[in-house]
Amino acid sequence: MDGLDDLYKDIILDHYRSPRNRGELPVPPAMSAEGFNPLCGDQVTVYVTLDGDTISDIKITGTGCSISQASSSLMSAAVKGKTTSFAYDRLAVFKRLMTIDDTPGEPVNVRELGEMAALQGVVQFPARIKCAILAWNTLDQVLSTHASPQ
Ligand code: ZN
């Protein structure tokens, strides 16, 4: 990943080598969804436990490239203990950061993204954007499954 800022590279490598919230949760009561990126072979499974509207616990398993696995770790750290609406908000911001959503609006405030901003360099490598967004899309699947009427 030459071309990425060194600090950002360090954050990505740190999350890749020491992934946060790694593991599984019992389903049920947890909910889970599996995501796959055939272009790169990345795979992630996201487990979420909700307490009301709060993501009280999140665990992730998976295999794949450093970007996909670091992004999973960063995503889990960003939403754990937060509300689902906060998670959706972060998902929307991340999609804009990755230029997947290019509707006009406020520019992304990189500073408010915290460590997630480390992935912004990925936009220079369009083939890797799907790696970076995989965990977020999988989280979206988990939460939208829950939101649908039972
Ligand atoms: Zn990948």
Side-chain angles (χ1 to χ4, degrees), residues 33-105:
E34 214 174 301
F36 185 59
N37 171 20
L39 293 177
C40 184
D42 308 316
Q43 185 270 325
V44 298
T45 306
V46 176
Y47 300 85
V48 169
T49 306
L50 287 181
D51 178 6
D53 194 37
T54 299
I55 297 172
S56 54
D57 205 358
I58 180 166
K59 296 269 189 215
I60 295 180
T61 62
T63 55
C65 69
S66 55
I67 296 295
S68 69
Q69 301 307 306
S71 179
S72 308
S73 173
L74 285 158
M75 181 277 283
S76 71
V79 304
K80 187 174 179 179
K82 303 292 200 304
T83 62
T84 54
S85 55
F86 177 90
Y88 277 122
D89 180 65
R90 281 294 177 268
L91 168 67
V93 171
F94 192 67
K95 279 185 172 171
R96 288 177 57 201
L97 186 71
M98 291 293 111
T99 66
I100 292 166
D101 175 6
D102 58 0
T103 51

Side-chain angles (χ1 to χ4, degrees), residues 5 125 146:
D5 181 280
F125 309 92
H146 172 75

